[in-house]
Amino acid sequence: MAGQGRDIKLSTERIAGHRAFANKIWNAARFVLMNAEGYDPHARPASVYDRWILSRFQSPARPER
């Protein structure tokens, strides 16, 4: 973040923001792990909406218009 011999200003607000973001990632990972038990990635999707979402993930990215 800084060249040799220069100080980096440390902001407690910035640290708190990064801590909150890391906490959100941690909680999201715990949520997924708690609810992923018994998940079969090769099972047929349960609804039309699930199939549509999966088809969008598998299609190549298209440029925005």
Side-chain angles (χ1 to χ4, degrees):
M1 287 181 65
Q4 188 173 2
R6 296 194 61 187
D7 293 335
I8 298 174
K9 294 182 181 179
L10 189 61
S11 167
T12 55
E13 293 86 16
R14 191 169 183 179
I15 292 172
H18 289 295
R19 180 179 179 270
F21 177 72
N23 191 34
K24 286 181 186 292
I25 298 296
W26 174 260
N27 287 333
R30 281 187 4 179
F31 178 79
V32 167
L33 291 175
M34 285 185 337
N35 293 301
E37 190 171 319
Y39 173 72
D40 181 13
H42 302 293
R44 182 179 166 93
S47 71
V48 174
Y49 306 112
D50 294 335
R51 287 194 297 269
W52 181 80
I53 291 169
L54 291 173
S55 73
R56 292 296 180 168
F57 278 129
Q58 293 172 356
S59 67
R62 289 184 240 145
E64 293 294 322
R65 292 181 183 206

